[in-house]
């Protein structure tokens, strides 16, 4: 295995901002043996301080806005924010509904948007791979 | 048509006695308000019964939660969204809060007691909640759960919208109970409009609902294994669940079955090849059974599950527990058995009960329910296979007031719908099984050790999105 491979390892912190949990079900599927993202050196971490990637779902709920911002601020650079699902990307069913925001990924200035309601595990893996590639560029 | 909704007026002064009476032989669903009218709902064998209480001018609502604590969330919600003032409430904190406010927590006081706060962002892929844990050493003295982080004020926003057009959104109020909620919503519209469906369509709905139960139960069993630190079990459960999601996709075009049940029937084109679905599920069923048997025979795992997070029957009763968690404490609360709807009416379904009320019992009930689900799926698919599934019927939404209940994977999922002429929504209220069971999670933890919180919590594995809305 070439050493560059390690550049692609990702610590992922997940932020739920008014999601219906459908996106979370598919994010969790990534740990199933059919996908097993731990083989890529990707894993969900216990602190934003350990994160390279923050995945966000949902339109943004009012009560999460502050905690979400604090999570982003707590993470160290370089950091890539990935919007997961149509809600986070800005045109899901709950965007601007009731007191919901315009999309958590839009508010938190995501650089990658993974579409779908919810996105399939394959689409999520592609999104994370794009994040890893982006990070490699920033780290060098 | 079975399980009709009926309601009658009850003056506030008479309400406690009427509620007392109904508590003994009906399943309480909760209460909700539309402006100044409060409806208290029960599910009995003859259907959903509503008690309609109109409050005059500035009449306050006298809290029922002192006597029956499960009313607490409902009353806090009525106060927040319908501006009904609740008197002598055991919990007067506002249910919803704004962005930078840290919600007020209830903490235990006493010598040697300290506090731990976790959330709303967690070290996993889970929904947001904040838990304030008061401990005396390793033992939990009290847990206060502050939910509402996913509150998007959806219900006020639904008002005035066209009921039929809202179905895809109703399917996304919560990803774990999508089919169940879509079914309850479709039934509400159909029953108001007097629409009956053919048997084939009813069986297709039953199959979809049971497929949802299987994928959610498998996920929950995997989460229990994770809470106990048994990663092999989690991975295996996720692998089996993934195979179910792939079958869901083949059957309905959606891995989580969203939008598969629609007003007037089921999504067009669904179950194009029921034979393939049936054969794939047959294999999967054997693998699931082998996995569950092996899991529940694992001594080291059982020692973690047995005796953890016990909810005794009287407590479950007082909190009106529903779903597998209620049945694990010996409470008969399965809507499919109490007030059968759709194709369950012809299925002689009996519910799975256990008595221990611990994490083990909650796992075991789910394991047995998965088996029953596979029976029902096989039965249903045979009915669908021999016939042609029709496209959804045209429904002309009619005015009226109704509450319908469906058994979702986590328990009774109800939809209260008030439509005006032309099918516009005057009020749409959701009572989810998780809403009912959340207060029990915190009670189940009392006296348990802090490191068991993930285990006990996951043995309920309650949703947030349909609770917060
Ligand atoms: S994108 Fe779809 S699945 Fe994801 S949170 Fe929004 S409604 Fe749910």
């Amino acid at each position: 295995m070439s050493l560059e491979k390690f550049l692609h390892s990702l610590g992922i912190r997940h932020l739920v901002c008014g999601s219906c949990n459908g996106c979370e079900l598919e994010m969790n599927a990534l740990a199933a043996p059919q996908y097993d993202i731990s083989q890529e050196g990707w894993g969900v971490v216990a602190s934003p301080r350990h994160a390279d990637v923050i995945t966000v779902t949902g339109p943004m709920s009012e009560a999460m806005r502050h905690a979400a911002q604090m999570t982003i601020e707590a993470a160290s650079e370089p950091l890539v924010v990935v919007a997961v699902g149509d809600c986070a990307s800005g045109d899901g069913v709950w965007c601007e509904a009731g007191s919901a925001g315009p999309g958590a990924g839009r508010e938190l200035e995501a650089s990658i948007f993974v579409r779908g309601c919810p996105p399939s595990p394959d689409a999520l893996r592609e999104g994370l791979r794009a994040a890893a590639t982006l990070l490699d560029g920033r780290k060098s | 048509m079975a399980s009709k909704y009926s309601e009658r007026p009850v003056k506030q002064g008479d309400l406690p006695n009427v509620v007392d009476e109904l508590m003994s032989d009906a399943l309480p669903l909760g209460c909700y308000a539309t402006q100044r009218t409060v409806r208290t709902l029960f599910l009995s064998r003859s259907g959903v019964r509503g008690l309609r209480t109109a409050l005059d001018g500035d009449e306050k609502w006298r809290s029922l939660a002192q006597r029956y604590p499960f009313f607490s969330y409902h009353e806090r919600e009525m106060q927040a969204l319908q501006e009904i003032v609740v008197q002598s409430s055991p919990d007067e904190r506002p249910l919803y809060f704004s962005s930078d406010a840290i919600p007020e927590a209830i903490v235990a006081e006493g010598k040697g007691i300290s506090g731990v706060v976790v959330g709303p962002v967690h070290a996993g892929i889970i929904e947001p909640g904040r838990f304030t844990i008061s401990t005396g050493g390793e033992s939990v003295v009290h847990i206060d759960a502050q939910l509402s982080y996913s509150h998007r004020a959806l219900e006020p926003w639904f008002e005035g919208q066209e009921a039929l057009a809202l179905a895809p959104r109703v399917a996304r109020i919560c990803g774990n109970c999508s089919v169940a909620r879509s079914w309850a919503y479709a039934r509400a519209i159909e029953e108001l409009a007097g629409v009956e469906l053919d048997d084939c369509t009813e069986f297709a709905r039953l199959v979809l609902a049971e497929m949802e139960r299987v994928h959610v139960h498998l996920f929950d069993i995997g989460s229990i294994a994770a809470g106990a630190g048994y990663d092999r079990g989690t991975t295996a459960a996720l692998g089996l669940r993934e195979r179910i999601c792939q079958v869901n996709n083949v059957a309905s075009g959606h891995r989580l079955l969203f939008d598969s049940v629609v007003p007037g029937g089921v999504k067009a084109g669904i179950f194009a090849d029921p034979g393939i679905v049936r054969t794939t599920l047959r294999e999967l069923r054997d693998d699931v059974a082998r996995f569950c048997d092996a899991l529940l025979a694992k001594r080291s795992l059982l020692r973690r599950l047995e005796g953890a997070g016990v909810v005794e029957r009287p407590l479950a009763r007082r909190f009106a527990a529903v779903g597998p968690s209620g049945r694990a404490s010996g409470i008969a609360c399965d809507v499919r058995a109490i007030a059968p709807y759709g194709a369950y009416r012809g299925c002689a379904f009996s519910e799975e009960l256990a008595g221990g009320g611990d994490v083990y019992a909650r796992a075991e009930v789910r394991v047995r329910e998965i088996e029953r689900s596979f029976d029902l799926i096989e039965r249903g698919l045979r009915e669908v296979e021999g016939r042609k599934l029709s496209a959804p019927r045209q429904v002309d939404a009619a005015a009226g007031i109704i509450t319908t209940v469906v058994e979702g994977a986590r328990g009774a999922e109800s939809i209260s719908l008030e439509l005006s002429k032309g099918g516009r929504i005057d009020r749409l209220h959701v009572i989810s099984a998780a809403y009912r069971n959340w207060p029990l999670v915190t009670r189940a933890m009392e006296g348990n050790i802090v490191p068991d919180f993930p285990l006990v919590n996951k043995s309920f594995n309650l949703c947030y999105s349909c609770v917060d809305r």
Side-chain angles (χ1 to χ4, degrees):
Chain A
M1 192 201 277
S2 77
L3 268 181
E4 284 93 294
K5 192 86 177 149
F6 287 113
L7 289 173
H8 289 279
S9 75
L10 297 177
I12 302 162
R13 181 76 170 172
H14 187 62
L15 261 180
V16 186
C17 304
S19 148
C20 80
N21 204 37
C23 283
E24 280 61 40
L25 288 173
E26 294 297 43
M27 287 283 292
N28 276 300
L30 292 174
Q34 290 90 338
Y35 307 100
D36 189 14
I37 57 166
S38 69
Q39 291 187 36
E40 319 253 359
W42 300 349
V44 176
V45 292
S47 159
R49 298 259 190 242
H50 303 167
D52 307 296
V53 164
I54 292 183
T55 46
V56 294
T57 57
M60 184 56 83
S61 50
E62 167 68 15
M64 274 306 292
R65 192 164 272 134
H66 185 61
Q69 203 59 55
M70 282 173 70
T71 302
I72 301 279
E73 280 162 21
S76 48
E77 287 291 333
L79 172 77
V80 172
V81 178
V82 177
V84 168
D86 289 347
C87 285
S89 299
D91 61 0
V93 294
W94 300 128
C95 292
E96 312 286 11
S99 64
R106 292 244 229 123
E107 268 198 40
L108 301 173
E109 295 174 5
S111 39
I112 291 165
F113 294 84
V114 185
R115 308 309 305 263
C117 179
S120 66
D122 283 326
L124 288 169
R125 195 159 52 178
E126 281 315 305
L128 289 171
R129 192 160 288 146
T133 309
L134 206 61
L135 275 169
D136 286 354
R138 290 190 197 169
K139 268 179 187 166
S140 58
Chain B
M1 198 179 284
S3 62
K4 270 288 186 194
Y5 174 72
S6 64
E7 66 174 39
R8 61 183 160 115
V10 176
K11 287 210 175 61
Q12 189 171 195
D14 301 330
L15 198 58
N17 286 337
V18 181
V19 169
D20 276 352
E21 263 168 50
L22 281 168
M23 279 297 292
S24 58
D25 62 357
L27 182 74
L29 298 172
C31 64
Y32 78 98
T34 306
Q35 288 153 3
R36 307 277 307 151
T37 302
V38 180
R39 286 183 171 80
T40 310
L41 304 164
F42 288 85
L43 179 68
S44 73
R45 303 208 171 267
S46 57
V48 178
R49 301 220 231 135
L51 309 172
R52 186 180 66 244
T53 306
L55 302 178
D56 306 328
D58 50 7
E59 189 181 346
K60 292 176 180 159
W61 175 258
R62 292 192 286 282
S63 175
L64 293 168
Q66 297 282 4
R67 200 181 188 93
Y68 298 111
F70 61 85
F71 281 112
S72 181
Y73 274 151
H74 298 274
E75 292 176 345
R76 288 168 73 193
E77 185 173 337
M78 283 179 351
Q79 176 144 335
L81 296 181
Q82 306 289 325
E83 289 162 19
I84 287 176
V85 178
V86 180
Q87 212 172 26
S88 0
S89 167
D91 188 346
E92 290 179 338
R93 296 172 297 167
L95 189 55
Y96 308 116
F97 42 89
S98 64
S99 173
D100 41 10
I102 292 186
E104 194 189 325
I106 295 173
V107 286
E109 279 170 19
K111 199 162 174 277
I113 291 182
S114 54
V116 184
V117 181
V118 289
V121 185
H122 297 273
I125 303 171
I126 41 176
E127 293 179 88
R130 185 171 182 268
F131 300 93
T132 305
I133 308 172
S134 306
T135 74
E138 279 289 295
S139 293
V140 170
V141 177
H142 182 263
I143 294 194
D144 190 30
Q146 286 117 23
L147 307 180
S148 303
Y149 281 94
S150 284
H151 180 61
R152 288 143 293 168
L154 298 182
E155 289 189 6
W157 182 74
F158 292 150
E159 288 166 23
Q161 299 205 40
E162 217 255 298
L164 291 169
L166 198 70
R169 287 201 158 90
V170 171
R172 287 161 177 78
I173 289 172
C174 180
N176 301 299
C177 18
S178 175
V179 176
R181 184 156 299 110
S182 290
W183 194 355
Y185 186 66
R187 273 179 62 204
I189 292 174
E190 289 155 8
E191 287 180 26
L192 284 177
V195 169
E196 298 229 22
L197 302 177
D198 59 89
D199 286 356
C200 187
T201 303
E202 291 288 16
F203 271 109
R205 283 184 172 182
L206 175 146
V207 171
L208 292 161
E210 296 303 328
M211 286 167 76
E212 176 171 79
R213 193 176 330 278
V214 172
H215 90 74
V216 174
H217 275 12
L218 273 172
F219 187 77
D220 292 354
I221 289 167
S223 302
I224 290 174
Y230 182 50
D231 291 349
R232 172 78 182 84
T234 310
T235 310
L238 283 176
L240 291 164
R241 177 185 169 273
E242 172 59 23
R243 285 166 63 193
I244 298 276
C245 290
Q246 290 172 6
V247 180
N248 290 347
N249 198 26
V250 170
S252 78
H254 196 284
R255 286 166 45 87
L256 305 177
L257 306 165
F258 287 8
D259 306 316
S260 57
V261 171
V262 296
V266 290
K267 179 162 96 180
I270 225 166
F271 292 122
D273 192 344
I276 293 216
V277 176
R278 199 151 68 85
T279 351
T280 324
L281 285 178
R282 185 70 260 179
E283 277 169 36
L284 196 44
R285 174 183 191 154
D286 293 341
D287 291 347
V288 169
R290 263 195 296 276
F291 162 70
C292 290
D293 287 350
L295 192 79
L296 293 190
K298 187 143 184 72
R299 283 307 313 163
S300 60
L301 181 70
L302 294 190
R303 274 196 288 274
R304 298 276 283 116
L305 310 190
E306 284 166 354
V310 175
V311 175
E312 304 276 9
R313 192 169 185 278
L315 186 72
R317 182 78 195 137
R318 233 165 80 76
F319 279 80
V322 292
S325 308
R327 296 190 279 284
S329 296
I331 304 286
C333 55
D334 196 317
V335 183
R336 296 172 293 172
I338 297 173
Y341 47 94
Y344 294 110
R345 271 176 274 159
C347 282
F349 177 84
S350 62
E351 62 188 289
E352 298 294 334
L353 294 173
D358 55 359
V359 173
Y360 176 78
R362 289 189 281 277
E364 194 208 353
V365 165
R366 286 190 179 91
V367 166
R368 297 198 326 235
E369 290 192 356
I370 289 176
E371 264 182 69
R372 291 291 78 73
S373 291
F374 276 122
D375 290 341
L376 288 162
I377 291 169
E378 276 185 31
R379 163 87 202 276
L381 283 174
R382 270 199 307 274
E383 302 279 347
V384 175
E385 219 175 317
R387 301 182 231 182
K388 192 168 159 14
L389 201 49
S390 29
R393 283 184 58 171
Q394 159 90 31
V395 180
D396 295 318
I401 293 176
I402 194 168
T403 292
T404 51
V405 196
V406 160
E407 183 71 21
R410 281 158 190 174
E413 301 296 346
S414 60
I415 287 280
S416 299
L417 187 62
E418 304 184 14
L419 294 186
S420 56
K421 252 178 93 194
R424 299 237 163 241
I425 293 171
D426 288 334
R427 183 86 171 88
L428 167 53
H429 181 60
V430 167
I431 302 175
S432 82
Y435 197 76
R436 180 76 316 112
N437 285 349
W438 261 114
L440 267 181
V441 177
T442 58
R443 295 299 293 266
M445 267 310 290
E446 287 170 13
N448 285 249
I449 55 172
V450 178
D452 268 356
F453 181 52
L455 174 65
V456 173
N457 188 20
K458 289 292 154 188
S459 72
F460 290 86
N461 221 8
L462 302 177
C463 334
Y464 299 63
S465 184
C466 51
V467 171
D468 298 346
R469 286 158 284 132

